Structures are given as structure tokens and as C-alpha cells.
Amino acid sequence: MKRIFTTTLIALSFVSISYAQQRQQGQRPAATASASTTTAPAKEETKINTNIASRTIVPESSVVTNKTVTINGKAIPYKATTGTLPVWDEDGKPIAGLFYTYYERSDVQNKDKRPLVISFNGGPGSASVWMHIAYTGPVVLNIDDEGYPIQPYGYKDNSSSILDVADIVYIDPVNTGYSRATSKDVPTSKFFGVRADIKYLAEWINTFVTRNNRWASPKFLIGESYGTTRVSGLALELQSNQWMYLNGVILVSPTELGIERGTVVEAALRLPYFAATAWYHKMLPADLQGKKLTAMLPEVENFTVNELIPAIAKGGFLPMAEKQKIAAKMAKYSGISEKVILQNNLDISTNLFWKELLRDKGFTVGRLDSRYKGIDKADAGEGPDYNAELTSWLHSFTPAINMYIRNELNYKTDLKYNMFGPVNPWDRTGDQTGENLRSAMAQNPYLHVLVQSGYYDGACDYFNAKYNMWQMDPSGKLKDRMSWEGYESGHMMYLRKPDLKMGNDHIRDFIEKAVPKFGTPAKF
């Protein structure tokens, strides 16, 4: 990777005075720059107004570096800006600083036609690190081809990055990454809740887009896990209250998006995921095990919708002979014994499944990626001792992101980078984000949706993602602007090398198709 560095130094005393004066006047301060007492290598541009000896947030700071990455065999030069921008209160005073990393392809002169992808991860309480250094960004982790940690820790060029077709900004909400409130006196209710999260982030995106002159650019949101709740809500919030219209929303491993299931549907919809996991661990009968995964699953999906949901709905009034017949089929598809299924009245929780599937072999399976196996203190019990996959991922991600931001992007701070930050209690009331996204699509003919799911994800499973799409648009009038893709991996499907390329190719194609040809009107 080609490394080119530039530096601009401005006196810190001038910056501090200017910033303080603007705050006292209740103004939104202009972008500021700070000084360093040492000179940097030629062409590194540094605009930091931070005290690296302090663990307090500075609402505004930035560092710029210039680099090159080879994507699909072509050298792509780009500028990386990393730093913080303020969150404003109603009086125009900064109440938090959000940490972000912004990648711009630097050989594009006119940004009006250049797509901008705005990226969030989930939790809530998770930093944007996951997709940043393992999926769409210009670098990826040093991991093996299936996503397991290897040493020495680190990162390398991402030849599959979408930076060739779109600029990307990765955003860390308050208390994740290096993002923090400016004071302990700022009420957490400003940030920690479904609706509060969407509201302040929409305001921040407005500031970012304005500062970086990207109003003309086609815009896309991408969110993973709880990030899909966030971006689904943001699609309407940006449109309704910031007057910012999107071309696309990408949902990676989506949550339920506030769409009601009820206990019957919720219990039944798990089965296709159980079948995929059992297939991976070779726990299915020979006739199913001998098929490809994607050839086997439609049979399970049809049984789930047409037989299992009606059977569970009958509850205790389901005739025993029929109940045993349903349990036998569930056992065949899930790898769980018919006895255990009957003991649980056809309702097998994911927690029990993760413990039960490989119990006789002495292993548990992972929650977010059931390809991963764990070892519990005792084989007995109703659920795993720990999440095998998450432990593995933190093993490889945490050193890499701290190394990358400090050493590669040259952003220096003594704040701790929160992979997961304290955001509880989180107010989950008012989650209508699936309906928010539907409404945004109905009002904006340009807006398209892409859903990406891993077959082995037990937290945000692939069949529930399909169910979201069915229920989000009961009229069927929007389905031509919705698409779904599945991958033979888990929650972070991109950790598997073939899916890293495939997933990015799907996003690349989605972006190109969702940007209309010049002169195409937004009308039905």
C-alpha cells in the first residue's frame, strides 16, 4: 500500500481561544485545527485540537492521511480523514463529540455523482469497527479464510472494498469507539434509546454532509445488527426532518425492526436457522445432509410456514398424534431429539439449541455464528457458558483497530476505544423502524433496500430477515426495490473470505443499480 503523508500545523492557542469564544456566543464553531510541537513527514495533514494526555473528549478534531489501495486489480488513491465532530443541543452548544473515519477516493474531481455510504454497526453500544476493518473499508483483519484469529495481529489491504465505487464514513455513536458526551451532566436520554439515537444521529449526519459538501451526492446508509434498526429509522428521519433523501439502505444481519411476531410465529421462524446449523455440523439425516445447503433449506422453510406455524398456534389442543408427527419432522430438520422437542412443546429456544445440538460431543455452538464451537464447564445445562464466536472476534479485532487508528491513520488519543460501550438503560419504546423504512420507500421512488444475511447467524437469523421483508410491505408494491442475499457464514458473513468478496460485490452492484441514470425523475 502506498503511503503519502501531508501536514498542516496551526497554533493551538489561537484554536482554543477561537473555539471557546464561539461556544460562549452560542455558535456552532467552524472546523478547527490544532497544532503539534513537532513536524510531521511531508504531506501529512493534521488538524487535531485534542490533548492526548487526557481521557476527555474534544468535540472537534481531525487527522488526514493519503493512501492507495488496490481493489479488483486497480489502484485506488484515497484520502482518509479521522476525528470528531460535535453533536449539538437545541441551543447550538456541543454536547458530545462523535468519532468518525471518512474515506474519499482522491482521483474524483466532481463529487456530485460520487455515492456516499454512511456506515453504522449495532449493539446498541457497539463501535463501527466491525464493518470498518473487516468488510467494506480499505483494510481488513489478518484472519484465516474462515474468520478465526491468527497472530501476529494486524490488518492488510482489502482488495474487495467498495471504495472504488463509493466514499464511506464510519460513525461511532456516543460511548462507542472514541465518541463521548462532553460532560457527565449531559442527560443520557439525549442518546440512549431507539428514537433519541435516530434523532441526534440524523442531526450529526446533516452537519457532516454540509461540512464535506456532499449534498449533491447519492447517499446510502448501511447498518449491521442493531445498526439496521438505526438506519431503518434514519431513512425516514433524514427524509422528514433533515430533508435529505437517500438512494439506498443496506441491512446487514437485520433485527426484527419493531415488526411484531407474536409467540407462535417467533417460535416457528427459528427452525430454518436450526436446520442450517445442523447441516453445517453434519447432524442431519443422510438425505438432507447430502444436499447443498441452499437446496435443503426451501423444504424446511415450506414446512415452517405451512405446517409448523399452524401446529404451534393450536397449542394444547393440537391432537397428540399430530403433535408427534410435527415433532418428528422438527427433529429431522434441527438435529435435536424428538423427545427434547416434545418436552418443550415444539418451542425450542435458541439458547437451548446452542447447548443441545452438540451436547453429546462436548461442545456448544456460537450465537452469532454457529460454525464456532465452545467448551462449557459442564455438559449439563440449558445454555452455553459464553459466546464462542464473540470471544474469537474480539481476539482479532481489538488489537487491530487500536493499531490501525493510531499507527496507520495517525490519530492519537488516550481515550479507550470502546468496542462495546455503556449505553444502558436503552429506551426501546417506540421502535417502528420497519414501518419507518417502508414509509420512506413509499415517499421516495429512488430508495432501494438490500438485505444481507448469514445462514449461521442465530441472533438475527436469515429467515426472520425474509419475514421482515414480507411484513414490511404487505401491499407488495415495494418488493421490486427490495432484494435479499444469503451467505454460508454467520452474523458477520464477511469474515469468511469467499463471502467478503461476494458481499462487497453485491453492495457494489446494488449501489450502481440504485443510482438513477442522469435525468431520471423520481416518480412512480
Side-chain angles (χ1 to χ4, degrees), residues 406-450:
R406 178 171 286 271
N407 301 335
E408 195 73 26
L409 300 182
N410 204 34
Y411 190 88
K412 306 292 197 292
T413 177
D414 279 338
L415 277 172
K416 181 172 70 173
Y417 188 91
N418 283 341
M419 304 292 284
F420 296 99
V423 298
N424 290 315
W426 189 269
D427 183 1
R428 295 183 180 272
T429 59
D431 182 357
Q432 297 181 331
T433 50
E435 171 58 20
N436 294 157
L437 182 54
R438 185 211 62 79
S439 182
M441 292 183 72
Q443 297 174 41
N444 178 5
Y446 282 157
L447 183 54
H448 292 68
V449 171
L450 169 64

Side-chain angles (χ1 to χ4, degrees), residues 203-427:
E203 288 280 352
W204 189 94
I205 290 170
N206 187 312
T207 299
F208 177 85
V209 167
T210 301
R211 290 277 190 94
N212 290 280
N213 196 26
R214 299 307 298 263
W215 274 99
S217 301
K219 298 173 193 65
F220 294 80
L221 298 177
I222 183 170
E224 180 180 21
S225 195
Y226 185 84
T228 61
T229 299
R230 178 175 285 136
V231 300
S232 295
L234 277 169
L236 185 62
E237 179 71 17
L238 287 169
Q239 187 168 298
S240 299
N241 294 314
Q242 304 298 328
W243 311 287
M244 186 182 295
Y245 290 77
L246 304 172
N247 287 76
V249 174
I250 302 159
L251 307 177
V252 180
S253 305
T255 64
E256 295 180 350
L257 304 181
I259 298 171
E260 291 294 330
R261 265 83 170 148
T263 56
V264 171
V265 172
E266 183 179 353
L269 292 182
R270 303 178 192 127
L271 185 62
Y273 155 70
F274 291 168
T277 298
W279 181 90
Y280 178 82
H281 290 288
K282 297 180 170 53
M283 298 294 288
L284 295 182
D287 61 325
L288 297 176
Q289 200 66 57
K291 296 180 180 180
K292 290 185 177 179
L293 176 65
T294 52
M296 178 272 295
L297 286 175
E299 178 180 335
V300 186
E301 294 175 6
N302 288 333
F303 167 76
T304 299
V305 172
N306 298 317
E307 298 183 54
L308 184 56
I309 290 176
I312 297 177
K314 294 177 183 177
F317 285 79
L318 180 69
M320 182 52 67
E322 190 175 346
K323 188 173 186 177
Q324 289 175 332
K325 180 182 176 182
I326 293 292
K329 279 195 173 183
M330 289 182 68
K332 176 183 178 181
Y333 293 141
S334 68
I336 302 298
S337 73
E338 184 176 340
K339 178 181 178 181
V340 170
I341 291 169
L342 287 170
Q343 287 173 339
N344 288 273
N345 298 317
L346 310 182
D347 183 358
I348 301 297
S349 70
T350 48
N351 213 43
L352 177 58
F353 176 78
W354 299 324
K355 183 74 174 184
E356 182 69 24
L357 182 67
L358 301 180
R359 191 191 296 270
D360 291 345
K361 298 178 183 295
F363 294 108
T364 62
V365 297
R367 170 178 174 263
L368 295 164
D369 192 329
S370 50
R371 297 175 303 155
Y372 290 71
K373 293 187 289 188
I375 300 175
D376 281 358
K377 183 177 182 180
D379 291 339
E382 296 297 310
D385 291 350
Y386 65 101
N387 294 336
E389 79 297 327
L390 187 56
T391 301
S392 174
W393 295 342
L394 288 168
H395 191 164
S396 50
F397 273 89
T398 310
I401 190 64
N402 281 279
M403 294 160 60
Y404 177 64
I405 291 174
R406 178 171 286 271
N407 301 335
E408 195 73 26
L409 300 182
N410 204 34
Y411 190 88
K412 306 292 197 292
T413 177
D414 279 338
L415 277 172
K416 181 172 70 173
Y417 188 91
N418 283 341
M419 304 292 284
F420 296 99
V423 298
N424 290 315
W426 189 269
D427 183 1

